[in-house]
Amino acid sequence: MAMATGLSIKRIAAHQQHSVPLLVLSETAQQTALPLMEAMVREGLGHGLGVVVVCLEQLLSRDIMCQPAVALVDCRPTMAQIGDGSAFLPNGTRQIDLARLDRDVCSQIERISAVSKVSGGFVVVIDDLEPLLNISRVDTLALLRKLRSVAKQCQSSRILARYSRDIADQRTDKGGPHLPLVSNVLRSIADAVVDVYPMDVLGTWMPGWYSNGEAQPFVTLGDNDERRGLLRLEHRRQSGKVGYEVAAFEINEQQRPVFSAVKAVATVEPPSAATAGPDPRQHLPFNLDLTDKQRQDRADVELPYLEAQAGEIHYQMAEEDDWDEDDPDDDLEI
């Protein structure tokens, strides 16, 4: 994969790239995308966009929720619903009315767009897609498509959706186990997908990656931090081309995202013998090495199948055999 030198993710996060009405943030159990998503929301607020927060698991940070340009669609179950059991279906799935959610989100978009400093501009934030996907994959994708079409009408608007690719890909809908992976389906409808990774996976991606091309390692093992990590951007442009980019991100003191390019070193030195691990054969009760005589004896062995391949086939014609001197392919005009 060719490494992109430009930081498209920086332009997208700063709302300078307007062809991304639907941006999906995917995370793993080792690295959450929540701090990065909140930093992108602050960028939207800083550009005068109204924000609609669809809360399914937890509220965003207080500094975001206290903003007058932020509206909340709270889908979390109440304590009373949890107590009487109405918050969950018999199979343990959350009880969420997707049709009502659709109406509430569209109503809040209309209200928040009226007070937005950018004409009709808004950001819809879905903090976790998993509860919706767990109810119905088809209805959830239909909701995302509808919200994307609404956001596409204003070039500054955007849908931010977060999900865990570790969990979502294990979900199956009522259609059966042969449905495509959720990750693949989301990539097909999203304009951009940001896969978030912990910092210590860099060495497993490509040995020899460094922050500035010098001998200093970019990260060290065990250096995981939810406020800094790696990301892989997959951006589907309006022309149909798909661009890829690998970058590092960090949330600064102003709670804004800072992105930096990740460069690859041209050559990687192989590990020396001094750093190589112990020989796994040293404690075996038998010897795997061959002496010169053993190698010669093995080379002198005549294998039966080689002798059979060197044989000849002799055919003795019988009296009733009819030998035809004509070329059987003469009529083909070869």
Side-chain angles (χ1 to χ4, degrees):
M1 179 184 68
M3 297 298 301
T5 56
L7 287 178
S8 298
I9 182 61
K10 184 177 181 179
R11 296 192 296 272
I12 291 174
H15 290 267
Q16 298 172 355
Q17 187 84 28
H18 301 306
S19 60
V20 188
L22 176 56
L23 174 61
V24 174
L25 294 169
S26 88
E27 62 183 25
T28 66
Q30 291 77 28
Q31 185 74 24
T32 176
L34 182 60
L36 179 59
M37 185 178 70
E38 290 185 338
M40 289 185 173
V41 172
R42 295 186 184 96
E43 288 286 337
L45 289 169
H47 284 77
L49 298 172
V51 176
V52 177
V53 177
V54 181
C55 180
L56 293 134
E57 292 294 338
Q58 65 182 62
L59 289 174
L60 301 186
S61 298
R62 183 181 297 273
D63 66 297
I64 295 176
M65 301 307 301
C66 291
Q67 295 288 333
V70 175
L72 173 64
V73 178
D74 198 345
C75 299
R76 296 173 299 172
T78 64
M79 293 302 297
Q81 291 174 330
I82 295 176
D84 61 22
S86 61
F88 300 94
L89 297 174
N91 61 358
T93 303
R94 285 266 298 276
Q95 180 84 301
I96 301 175
D97 188 344
L98 291 177
R100 180 180 176 180
L101 174 61
D102 186 353
R103 295 192 300 268
D104 291 346
V105 172
C106 291
S107 175
Q108 292 292 359
I109 288 176
E110 184 177 354
R111 186 182 71 83
I112 209 70
S113 298
V115 298
S116 174
K117 296 180 181 179
V118 180
S119 178
F122 63 87
V123 176
V124 175
V125 184
I126 304 176
D127 72 326
D128 192 357
L129 285 174
E130 182 194 347
L132 302 180
L133 291 168
N134 201 20
I135 296 174
S136 172
R137 177 189 298 188
V138 174
D139 293 341
T140 301
L141 296 176
L143 175 62
L144 289 176
R145 289 190 181 96
K146 178 180 179 179
L147 294 177
R148 178 185 179 275
S149 66
V150 175
K152 201 173 182 180
Q153 298 175 9
C154 178
Q155 64 177 9
S156 300
S157 299
R158 178 171 299 163
I159 311 299
L160 273 177
R162 165 176 162 253
Y163 84 104
S164 174
R165 58 184 179 271
D166 292 338
I167 300 176
D169 284 341
Q170 299 176 8
R171 302 294 186 187
T172 57
D173 214 338
K174 295 180 180 179
H178 302 295
L179 292 173
L181 293 177
V182 173
S183 297
N184 295 338
V185 177
L186 288 175
R187 291 179 192 280
S188 67
I189 67 173
D191 300 281
V193 177
V194 175
D195 298 319
V196 178
Y197 295 88
M199 297 292 282
D200 60 10
V201 305
L202 187 61
T204 64
W205 283 359
M206 180 181 294
W209 280 22
Y210 298 90
S211 59
N212 55 4
E214 302 298 331
Q216 296 295 324
F218 184 69
V219 292
T220 57
L221 293 178
D223 195 19
N224 288 5
D225 184 353
E226 65 177 15
R227 298 177 59 83
R228 59 191 295 266
L230 298 169
L231 61 85
R232 176 185 180 272
L233 170 67
E234 179 178 327
H235 181 200
R236 296 183 180 274
R237 298 178 174 85
Q238 293 180 341
S239 61
K241 295 183 179 179
V242 181
Y244 299 92
E245 183 175 271
V246 175
F249 74 88
E250 185 172 359
I251 312 302
N252 62 16
E253 295 180 356
Q254 290 73 37
Q255 307 301 316
R256 298 297 180 88
V258 178
F259 303 97
S260 58
V262 178
K263 298 180 181 179
V265 176
T267 59
V268 180
E269 293 295 331
S272 62
T275 60
D279 188 353
R281 305 175 300 173
Q282 61 183 354
H283 299 300
L284 293 177
F286 49 85
N287 188 11
L288 292 177
D289 295 325
L290 297 177
T291 63
D292 293 339
K293 184 178 185 306
Q294 289 172 333
R295 293 192 182 92
Q296 184 61 42
D297 292 341
R298 185 176 65 178
D300 293 339
V301 174
E302 295 184 2
L303 301 178
Y305 65 88
L306 293 178
E307 182 179 356
Q309 291 177 0
E312 298 180 355
I313 298 177
H314 298 276
Y315 177 69
Q316 183 67 36
M317 292 185 60
E319 294 181 358
E320 61 273 12
D321 290 340
D322 183 15
W323 182 263
D324 192 354
E325 298 288 350
D326 295 334
D327 186 359
D329 298 329
D330 187 52
D331 58 333
L332 299 179
E333 298 182 357
I334 298 178

